Amino acid sequence: MKMYEKLSDMPLFAIILPDLNARWCWEILTLLLLTTGGAIAWKGAKKRIERQASQRIRQQIAHDFHDELGGKLSIISMYAELTSQQLDRDPVAAKGYLYKISLHASRLYETVKDMLWALNPDLDNSHDLLLRLKDFGEELFSDSPIQFSVKSSGDLQQLKLPLDQKRHLLLLFKEAMHNALKHSNAKLVLLEATITGREVVFSLQDDGTGFDPATAYAGEGLKSMKNRAEKIGGIMRMESAETGSRIAVYIGLPVPGKT
């Protein structure tokens, strides 16, 4: 049997890195530790920045809701007072005020639903946004002669939307659907969401009588819609002819949260 001689005690670094002296080893180890620590610190800072940004958006939503809530409750209170004054003197006028109270209460309820939906982190993709708009559109056009439909293409469930994007898109297209109901004289209204190349496109089109875009942009409604599109880094395009109209918002990909 062959016997092996026991090796003399040697420093660990001398065994692993025989060509480097101890000082170089410590410098390399220190550099690795600093690099790793810097990466961990950057990830932590990034998460804090994202949380702060999300918190600012949530605070803005809460602030907007507070203002809208206060305004609508003031209006409802005013009409309630007018109703009580006219109830005996002019029942027809009182009935009109009661209708306005019901209308503003309904709008307030819709505002609450929108806020709760926007703040729900489980509903943060394009597909959820399309479903929310679909539910709203079906209810909005249910008592009208307009046939409302929804179409989509691309993997919308995998396309996450930041809180501010989904909120502004929701309000933008709700406004567009209201306009279609009031002014389009259409028989068909189509809401569509699709991923094409490097963009996600949300659009609403109808087969109505059309309108003059130059005149329409003078109104506050379309200005507000255009501003919402710009706030989320998108572009709103509007087309209109005698055969119908189309409003589309284009958002470049990837958006934050794209998986």
Side-chain angles (χ1 to χ4, degrees):
M1 180 182 295
K2 187 180 284 188
M3 302 295 293
Y4 289 91
E5 230 180 273
K6 183 180 177 183
L7 294 175
S8 60
D9 293 337
M10 296 178 65
L12 180 60
F13 281 115
I15 296 172
I16 299 174
L17 300 170
D19 295 329
L20 298 177
N21 62 35
R23 180 180 176 183
W24 290 350
C25 291
W26 281 112
E27 287 178 351
I28 292 173
L29 181 60
T30 302
L31 180 60
L32 290 173
L33 290 173
L34 288 174
T35 303
T36 304
I40 294 172
W42 163 244
K43 287 183 179 179
K46 184 180 179 183
K47 287 182 179 179
R48 284 196 299 273
I49 291 170
E50 290 173 349
R51 283 197 300 268
Q52 289 170 359
S54 178
Q55 182 64 22
R56 283 196 297 270
I57 294 169
R58 291 175 189 275
Q59 288 174 348
Q60 183 61 50
I61 291 175
H63 180 269
D64 293 345
F65 173 70
H66 179 271
D67 290 347
E68 193 165 356
L69 174 65
K72 282 186 169 59
L73 288 177
S74 296
I75 293 173
I76 290 172
S77 177
M78 177 190 70
Y79 282 125
E81 180 65 26
L82 290 172
T83 300
S84 66
Q85 293 174 5
Q86 299 295 330
L87 200 56
D88 295 327
R89 282 183 271 172
D90 190 346
V92 175
K95 185 177 180 180
Y97 293 141
L98 285 173
Y99 169 76
K100 290 181 179 180
I101 290 173
S102 175
L103 181 64
H104 284 283
S106 177
R107 289 177 179 172
L108 181 57
Y109 172 66
E110 192 66 29
T111 299
V112 172
K113 286 202 302 183
D114 287 345
M115 185 195 70
L116 294 177
W117 177 87
L119 293 174
N120 189 341
D122 295 328
L123 303 173
D124 62 352
N125 60 64
S126 298
H127 181 69
D128 292 321
L129 173 60
L130 191 64
L131 289 179
R132 178 73 182 94
L133 288 170
K134 174 179 177 291
D135 292 342
F136 174 79
E138 288 176 346
E139 183 177 350
L140 180 68
F141 295 109
S142 61
D143 296 326
S144 76
I146 296 176
Q147 180 181 339
F148 175 71
S149 60
V150 178
K151 181 181 177 182
S152 66
S153 63
D155 194 356
L156 296 174
Q157 285 187 323
Q158 295 301 314
L159 182 59
K160 293 187 177 182
L161 295 172
L163 183 60
D164 57 336
Q165 280 193 340
K166 72 173 187 176
R167 174 173 173 262
H168 282 299
L169 284 170
L170 174 69
L171 297 178
L172 189 157
F173 280 96
K174 286 181 67 172
E175 178 74 19
M177 282 189 270
H178 273 297
N179 291 341
L181 178 64
K182 293 178 183 178
H183 308 299
S184 70
N185 298 315
K187 295 180 180 179
L188 301 172
V189 170
L190 172 65
L191 174 68
E192 186 174 8
T194 182
I195 298 175
T196 57
R198 302 300 297 174
E199 291 178 319
V200 57
V201 184
F202 286 85
S203 67
L204 187 78
Q205 64 183 72
D206 62 66
D207 63 350
T209 55
F211 56 87
D212 180 5
T215 304
Y217 267 124
E220 292 300 319
L222 286 178
K223 283 182 181 178
S224 174
M225 291 163 63
K226 186 178 180 183
N227 288 337
R228 289 189 185 281
E230 291 174 350
K231 284 180 181 179
I232 59 176
I235 298 173
M236 189 179 88
R237 294 175 184 165
M238 189 167 60
E239 304 166 359
S240 185
E242 295 180 357
T243 55
S245 307
R246 181 174 185 265
I247 291 177
V249 176
Y250 299 78
I251 303 174
L253 296 177
V255 297
K258 179 72 170 67
T259 58

